[in-house]
Structure formats: structure tokens, C-alpha cells
Amino acid sequence: MTFVFKKIKTLTFFFFLFLNFNLSSNAHVKGTFSTEKEAEKKSLELGCEGIHKNQDKWLPCENEKELHRYLRK
């Protein structure tokens, strides 16, 4: 009985881990742009302020935490 319970707990954990990763990566892809101008336009559409750079891509909002908050609305 405990073996089955542990297996269910493990599967549940991985299911929610996958779900969380999928939502986060989806939001990130929708908010990544190759130019500052595109990121500024999206920032205005989302209602957040500013833009920021992550590696070679431009993103709307002042930081990624704020961006993800606006993209999930």
C-alpha cells in the first residue's frame, strides 16, 4: 500500500512540475523580441512599463518577474 502511495506522490509531483515549466516557458516565448521597438510596443499593450534585455533578446516590462505576471493575466 505504501509503495503505491509513494508512486502516486511521485507522479503527481512530476505532473505539476511539468505543468509549471510549460506555463513559464510559454509565457517567455510570447514575450521575447529581437528589437527594442517590438518590446516597447508589447510593453504598452500589456500595460507594464519599460523593457529589459535577456542575452540577445528584448523583453517588455522592467524585469522578467513583472513580464510573467502580465503575460499570465
Side-chain angles (χ1 to χ4, degrees), residues 31 46 52 59-61 63-71:
L46 292 171
H52 67 283
L59 298 99
C61 304
N63 56 55
E64 288 198 46
K65 184 177 180 180
E66 184 181 348
L67 170 61
H68 287 261
R69 187 169 56 112
Y70 278 91
L71 287 173

Side-chain angles (χ1 to χ4, degrees), residues 16-44:
F16 284 108
L17 181 66
F18 171 76
L19 184 63
N20 186 38
F21 175 76
N22 194 24
L23 289 174
S24 179
S25 63
N26 232 356
H28 201 270
V29 168
K30 290 192 298 185
T32 305
F33 302 94
S34 56
T35 67
E36 290 178 69
K37 193 165 195 93
E38 290 173 312
E40 288 170 352
K41 181 180 174 187
K42 186 65 173 182
S43 186
L44 290 173

